Amino acid sequence: MSANPRPARILIVVAMEAEARPVRAALGLHAEPASLHPAFPSAMVADGPLAVATNGTDPRFEIDAIASQPAVVTTLTAAESHRPDLVISAGTAGGFEGRGGAIGDVFVSTEPVRFHDRRVDIPGWDAYGEGSYPVADLGPERDDLLSAMGAKPGRMTTGNSLDAPPVDLATMDRFGADAKDMEAAAVAWVCEHLGVDFLAVKAITDLVDHPEATAEQFRRNLGLATERLAAAVGSLVGALGAA
């Protein structure tokens, strides 16, 4: 890790309850999530050095509060409460068959995470739009750790849409993205401001470059992906000594 080789306190931020439930179970966190802020649905379960926070259910639309805005609120409020040394953005993502990705693969961010849909074609603002937020250095044991997790090293990009129009795909191709999600870069932005180490762990539910509709792939593969996500996160937390 960049600041702390063995983080004393870890916060795991997850968007959807279907993603968070198996992660909490893998970590032995069985208490009911507690609200983090009266105006937002974000909630957290904490036990000693470990905490899992979720974006919660949007009260107006009555669905999981996904994407970047809820992720920022959840990360900030949970970090203020738990005071972590490391924040992990855990969840599901789209992958790329053309870059060796497959359904159920788990990727760990090993390069800065970026936004692929914040296009501001003005010098200075263009770099701000992309973000390029740092990730924690796992050190010389990285490859052994990823192997134990059953995970791959990868580049990740974030956007607020489930689909991938050509303009976004071109940016993802330029970044060499292995996984496309809707929260990681937003969580990383908060961590950069707080001076807290950040990692993303994402399991693949759908292949962006496959002809089948993304939503159909996602629904069919969510169970498999979340099962593998939980196992990988549990392995990572155990290896870091916080479990």
Side-chain angles (χ1 to χ4, degrees), residues 69-226:
Q69 296 97 322
V72 166
V73 172
T74 300
T75 305
L76 181 58
T77 54
E80 287 179 332
S81 173
H82 191 64
R83 301 294 178 184
D85 303 297
L86 172 68
V87 174
I88 300 170
S89 174
T92 56
F96 297 84
E97 193 171 30
R99 283 191 275 277
I103 300 298
D105 278 354
V106 176
F107 285 95
V108 175
S109 57
T110 51
E111 297 191 21
V113 293
R114 298 174 169 91
F115 287 104
H116 57 247
D117 65 349
R118 298 204 313 184
R119 292 174 291 277
V120 188
D121 191 18
I122 303 172
W125 295 85
D126 52 356
Y128 171 82
E130 291 179 3
S132 190
Y133 306 110
V135 302
D137 181 1
L138 293 172
E141 300 176 353
R142 188 195 81 175
D143 291 345
D144 290 340
L145 176 58
L146 295 185
S147 178
M149 293 173 62
K152 300 178 178 181
R155 301 180 181 94
M156 300 186 188
T157 69
T158 295
N160 276 312
S161 297
L162 185 65
D163 65 357
V167 65
D168 288 353
L169 280 174
T171 303
M172 288 183 247
D173 288 343
R174 178 162 57 87
F175 293 151
D178 296 295
K180 159 198 176 291
D181 90 322
M182 300 175 75
E183 291 88 19
V187 176
W189 176 76
V190 177
C191 291
E192 183 180 56
H193 281 271
L194 295 177
V196 176
D197 276 343
F198 166 84
L199 280 175
V201 180
K202 302 290 172 172
I204 302 304
T205 54
D206 56 275
L207 298 171
V208 179
D209 51 357
H210 190 279
E212 185 181 6
T214 297
E216 294 303 317
Q217 295 184 67
F218 176 82
R219 282 191 285 263
R220 185 175 66 252
N221 300 316
L222 180 61
L224 170 65
T226 55

